[in-house]
Amino acid sequence: MTNRFAVVLAAGKGTRMKSKLYKVLHPVCGKPMVQHIVDQLQSCSVNEIVTIVGHGAETVQEQLGSATSYALQAEQLGTGHAVMQAEEKLSGKPGTTLVVCGDTPLLTAETMEQLLQFHEEKGAKASVLTAHAENPAGYGRVLRDEQGKVMKIVEQKDATEEEQKVQEINTGTYCFDNEALFETLKKVGNDNSQGEYYLPDVIEILQEEGEAVFAYQSEHFHETMGVNDRVALSEAEKWMKKRTNEHWMREGVTIVDPLNTYIGTDVEIGRDTVIQPGTVLEGNTIIGEQCEIGPHTEIKNSRVANETTIKQSVVHASDVGSNVSIGPFSHLRPETSLADEVRVGNFVELKKISMGKGSKASHLSYLGDAEIGAGVNMGCGSITVNYDGQKKYLTKIEDGAFVGCNSNLIAPVTVGAGSYVAAGSTITEDVPGESLAIARQRQTNKEGYKKK
């Protein structure tokens, strides 16, 4: 099989975004644009990915990590100049090089694979991915001869009035014979309105030299769109959301209101789950089968097992079992683990705790840094007092314990299995198993006090 390489163009500052955040790091459906591209490339049989970085190079490398190697374009002198920065890593290697922009987050692995196969089957020196645009303003135009062969690609600013009427546009994605690419780049000049070295000029040079140059037209213009400002970013978000939601609906998930449901591209959802309006699912989240999520619920980087209901709540970096009920208005902070059949109700906040099977915290509680066994009842207003101002300490509540309303458990403390803590108690010492702990001031009535 032919060696395949990929060059990701991610060096532009993106001044039209008017942002301190480097352009290709702006998220679409919760993931940076350039990460979308690299993830899709990893699904194509590509031997090596080289990302061209410039402004904000360190932040891009931090985001992409070891999934790609890097080349620095210290001065932005055009797309041709950008690709030249990969010469040290790729020059002289036989094979096919795919060049793609880091601000085209909707481009799919399927389309890139189709372009690669088309290019290799044609035995082309270069192939350009094109699309039909009803409004082609701002895009380079693909000019063909009477036989439909690609003659050249002309940038908007350099196009004549007649050329600007052409609706077949250059998407900025190409395949090249790798050796021919770097040889031809040396012949590219910068005699144009921008004084830059354009990668599309490689197409014209190869054509003039009699080499085989082809174009492969994408079925969907929106898939190839580049993001240069916040308006385009919102448009990309809309299309990505539509694509993602439709995928899950076809997989057997009910999304009650797709226009008001936001699902990240790395999320997984089981069949017969119902997603209510206003739900946001992000990161590496996995939702099981026959769940009901929402309305107005945010889940991020969490696992939720089958037949669980989560309503009007926030769940981050947590692990939730089967047949669990959460909400309304609950907050699960990171490192929370709930076993099967747990109940967490109104205005309960959990942080870095585990709760065993069938345990309940039904309302108005804060439980942090705690190990809670199975079959435990945490009464209304019960609190694990885990922080002394300098350090945090662990509370242990063993199986079958019953903690009454408005109880404070001052960590570190253990409530033994089967024990009862009386309502209104402040527990500062361990409670033995099968015991009743009462820690409150004895009631005193002052009769006639009001008259005095």
Side-chain angles (χ1 to χ4, degrees):
M1 182 178 177
T2 303
N3 287 327
R4 288 178 172 179
F5 313 103
V7 175
V8 180
L9 303 182
K13 186 176 182 179
T15 54
R16 280 180 282 176
M17 298 297 286
K18 297 182 179 179
S19 174
K20 293 179 180 179
L21 183 64
Y22 188 39
K23 181 174 79 166
V24 297
L25 293 178
H26 278 267
V28 173
C29 286
K31 181 189 292 187
M33 291 191 285
V34 70
Q35 187 70 64
H36 280 291
I37 288 295
V38 171
D39 288 351
Q40 293 297 313
L41 282 170
Q42 289 182 309
S43 298
C44 301
S45 46
V46 173
N47 301 89
E48 183 178 355
I49 303 172
V50 181
T51 300
I52 310 302
V53 293
H55 297 286
E58 298 81 5
T59 52
V60 174
Q61 290 178 241
E62 183 179 347
Q63 172 64 41
L64 299 178
S66 61
T68 169
S69 60
Y70 303 91
L72 177 65
Q73 186 187 24
E75 187 178 5
Q76 276 66 60
L77 297 175
T79 52
H81 179 259
V83 175
M84 277 297 293
Q85 309 314 302
E87 182 177 23
E88 183 178 337
K89 297 181 182 295
L90 300 181
S91 181
K93 296 180 180 180
T96 300
T97 293
L98 176 67
V99 179
V100 59
C101 296
D103 61 0
T104 53
L106 296 168
L107 200 58
T108 63
E110 289 76 14
T111 295
M112 289 189 278
E113 185 67 37
Q114 289 166 5
L115 175 62
L116 284 161
Q117 290 181 3
F118 172 85
H119 173 84
E120 291 164 359
E121 288 170 1
K122 292 291 186 180
K125 290 294 182 182
S127 299
V128 56
L129 181 67
T130 71
H132 177 83
E134 291 298 325
N135 178 12
Y139 289 93
R141 308 304 200 277
V142 177
L143 306 181
R144 298 177 183 255
D145 62 16
E146 294 177 355
Q147 287 73 41
K149 293 182 179 179
V150 176
M151 297 301 296
K152 67 175 181 176
I153 299 170
V154 60
E155 297 296 319
Q156 165 87 22
K157 294 177 181 178
D158 299 313
T160 65
E161 185 175 340
E162 191 65 26
E163 289 170 340
Q164 289 185 18
K165 295 178 182 178
V166 174
Q167 290 183 296
E168 184 175 17
I169 58 97
N170 173 23
T171 68
T173 300
Y174 311 87
C175 275
F176 295 98
D177 173 279
N178 185 65
E179 293 172 292
L181 170 63
F182 288 101
E183 285 299 317
T184 309
L185 277 170
K186 297 172 184 176
K187 305 173 186 177
V188 172
N190 65 342
D191 184 17
N192 52 62
S193 62
Q194 296 294 100
E196 294 183 349
Y197 299 88
Y198 293 148
L199 183 60
D201 287 355
V202 171
I203 302 291
E204 186 174 0
I205 293 170
L206 289 171
Q207 182 69 36
E208 291 172 351
E209 293 177 350
E211 300 290 359
V213 176
F214 292 90
Y216 178 82
Q217 187 164 322
S218 171
E219 294 182 16
H220 307 290
F221 167 73
H222 71 264
E223 184 183 331
T224 67
M225 67 178 290
V227 174
N228 290 311
D229 58 25
R230 306 291 181 125
V231 175
L233 185 68
S234 69
E235 193 73 9
E237 180 86 17
K238 180 186 76 173
W239 282 108
M240 185 73 79
K241 183 177 72 169
K242 182 176 186 294
R243 176 197 295 174
T244 303
N245 289 353
E246 288 181 357
H247 165 77
W248 288 116
M249 287 188 283
R250 292 191 179 99
E251 289 295 314
V253 175
T254 295
I255 300 178
V256 175
D257 184 359
L259 292 178
N260 291 291
T261 301
Y262 305 85
I263 302 174
T265 55
D266 293 329
V267 172
E268 298 180 22
I269 310 172
R271 293 183 178 182
D272 293 317
T273 283
V274 177
I275 309 295
Q276 297 287 355
T279 294
V280 179
L281 306 177
E282 296 182 298
N284 296 312
T285 290
I286 300 175
I287 307 293
E289 297 182 354
Q290 296 179 275
C291 295
E292 183 166 353
I293 308 297
H296 307 295
T297 291
E298 177 185 315
I299 304 177
K300 184 174 183 178
N301 294 327
S302 298
R303 297 174 62 90
V304 178
N306 300 336
E307 301 178 357
T308 285
T309 298
I310 305 176
K311 295 183 177 181
Q312 287 110 346
S313 295
V314 174
V315 179
H316 284 183
S318 295
D319 197 335
V320 178
S322 298
N323 195 25
V324 171
S325 175
I326 298 174
F329 315 118
S330 301
H331 186 185
L332 274 63
R333 292 167 56 190
E335 298 185 60
T336 292
S337 177
L338 305 184
D340 298 345
E341 301 175 20
V342 166
R343 299 290 180 265
V344 177
N346 313 41
F347 304 104
V348 174
E349 181 178 356
L350 308 179
K351 191 274 293 188
K352 201 175 182 181
I353 77 161
S354 61
M355 293 184 73
K357 183 176 181 179
S359 290
K360 296 182 292 184
S362 297
H363 22 237
L364 300 166
S365 290
Y366 169 73
L367 305 174
D369 298 283
E371 295 177 3
I372 300 173
V376 171
N377 181 83
M378 301 299 297
C380 177
S382 54
I383 297 171
T384 59
V385 185
N386 58 333
Y387 185 47
D388 68 359
Q390 293 182 327
K391 295 182 180 180
K392 293 185 178 181
Y393 299 92
L394 181 68
T395 297
K396 294 184 179 182
I397 305 170
E398 297 179 349
D399 295 351
F402 186 100
V403 179
C405 295
N406 293 318
S407 295
N408 298 307
L409 308 179
I410 312 297
V413 71
T414 297
V415 176
S419 292
Y420 285 76
V421 173
S425 294
T426 295
I427 302 299
T428 58
E429 298 178 2
D430 290 349
V431 179
E434 306 294 333
S435 301
L436 170 64
I438 304 174
R440 60 193 184 204
Q441 182 68 36
R442 184 179 297 275
Q443 181 174 329
T444 300
N445 295 332
K446 302 290 187 179
E447 295 186 12
Y449 178 81
K450 183 177 179 181
K451 292 181 180 179
K452 293 179 181 180

